[in-house]
Amino acid sequence: MNIDFFEPTELKKNYEDFRRRVNMYFENNPERLSCLNKMYDHFEERMVFTPASSYEHYHNAFPGGYIDHVMRVIDNSILTYKLYIELGLDVSSISKESLLFCAMHHDLGKLGSVDEDMYIINDSDWHIKNQGKIYTINPNLNYMDLNTRTFYLLNHFGIKCSEEEWIGIKLTDGLYDDDNKKYLMTYNKSQTLKTSLPHILHQSDINAARFEYERWENFKNK
């Protein structure tokens, strides 16, 4: 996919829409909203251009891909939540704020560290041409897995999350993350998930990624 998938005006519009959502979703929690706005003020320029992945055939490996993906996961989470209700599944323990908070921050670690981008443009034409590896991981970063970096950034900016929200974000990748097996494949009744939040988030995320993959395939084959 063309590295300039979004026009500059679209990048600006998407970012403004994202910030509008932050203020709308958390207006009833002033303390959380203040910390979120502090974090997003800090990351403002970086967020506009951050991709959602490094390989073109993954999803949204282009400037602005991160925000586009996150907003799609938010929209999907609302639709999936409503579907769960229609299917007769119990969502009584899930607050709207927690659902939106987790969807909005499930990939937060992709922004990088407080001071450094996670993704940088790959300077290897061979890898771009032959592997579709548009970006590479910034070698200046300390190694952290995505969830660890996500929770580090939330903590750094004083953004608290509930136990349910922690579990929701942690398990968004489902069984694609081997570390999640002990949460999702337990045979001990007392250890089974007490909330459907992780399932809603996982379905919302993989559907977003699938849409973005199909969009890339359609664009590539034009």
Side-chain angles (χ1 to χ4, degrees):
M1 180 171 284
N2 192 321
I3 196 69
D4 295 322
F5 181 75
F6 286 122
E7 297 290 337
T9 54
E10 293 176 301
L11 291 172
K12 182 175 183 291
K13 180 179 180 297
N14 288 344
Y15 176 74
E16 290 173 346
D17 184 22
F18 180 87
R19 291 302 297 266
R20 179 187 61 79
R21 291 183 184 221
V22 172
N23 286 285
M24 178 175 66
Y25 294 156
F26 306 107
E27 62 181 352
N28 294 324
N29 191 338
E31 180 180 357
R32 172 174 271 187
L33 178 58
S34 176
C35 293
L36 285 170
N37 276 325
K38 180 181 177 182
M39 178 174 74
Y40 287 123
D41 286 345
H42 176 84
F43 286 125
E44 182 172 56
E45 182 176 352
R46 192 187 308 180
M47 282 193 65
V48 172
F49 299 103
T50 294
S53 69
S54 55
Y55 286 89
E56 62 177 0
H57 54 278
Y58 283 2
H59 62 106
N60 282 17
F62 47 79
Y66 172 84
I67 287 181
D68 180 69
H69 173 70
V70 167
M71 291 198 297
R72 184 165 293 104
V73 173
I74 291 171
D75 292 341
N76 286 356
S77 72
I78 295 170
L79 292 172
T80 306
Y81 176 86
K82 292 177 180 177
L83 177 61
Y84 268 49
I85 293 175
E86 289 184 20
L87 293 173
L89 295 168
D90 182 16
V91 295
S92 60
S93 68
I94 303 172
S95 72
K96 182 179 180 181
E97 180 176 330
S98 289
L99 176 69
L100 296 172
F101 178 82
C102 292
M104 182 172 282
H105 299 99
H106 76 284
D107 271 348
L108 181 66
K110 291 183 178 181
L111 293 180
S113 69
V114 174
D115 300 314
E116 295 268 0
D117 290 0
M118 176 173 173
Y119 294 113
I120 58 176
I121 294 291
N122 197 340
D123 60 5
S124 170
D125 291 337
W126 187 93
H127 284 88
I128 293 174
K129 179 179 178 181
N130 293 284
Q131 296 183 349
K133 188 173 176 57
I134 308 297
Y135 293 89
T136 189
I137 303 300
N138 187 344
N140 294 330
L141 293 179
N142 288 312
Y143 172 75
M144 291 185 187
D145 63 38
L146 177 62
N147 283 323
T148 301
R149 191 173 295 284
T150 291
F151 293 123
Y152 171 79
L153 291 177
L154 291 173
N155 179 72
H156 178 84
F157 289 96
I159 302 164
K160 298 177 182 179
C161 61
S162 68
E163 186 173 289
E164 181 183 50
E165 290 167 349
W166 188 95
I167 291 172
I169 292 173
K170 169 77 174 72
L171 301 182
T172 296
D173 279 340
L175 293 175
Y176 287 101
D177 183 342
D178 287 341
D179 190 53
N180 291 342
K181 287 184 178 180
K182 56 182 174 285
Y183 294 87
L184 299 169
M185 297 179 66
T186 178
Y187 300 99
N188 185 329
K189 184 177 183 298
S190 67
Q191 294 177 351
T192 57
L193 292 177
K194 296 174 173 57
T195 172
S196 293
L197 181 60
H199 299 304
I200 293 174
L201 293 166
H202 178 57
Q203 196 65 55
S204 302
D205 188 32
I206 61 174
N207 284 343
R210 181 62 190 179
F211 170 87
E212 290 152 12
Y213 172 80
E214 290 184 4
R215 181 175 61 180
W216 169 77
E217 278 280 9
N218 291 334
F219 181 90
K220 181 187 68 170
N221 292 328
K222 282 184 179 179

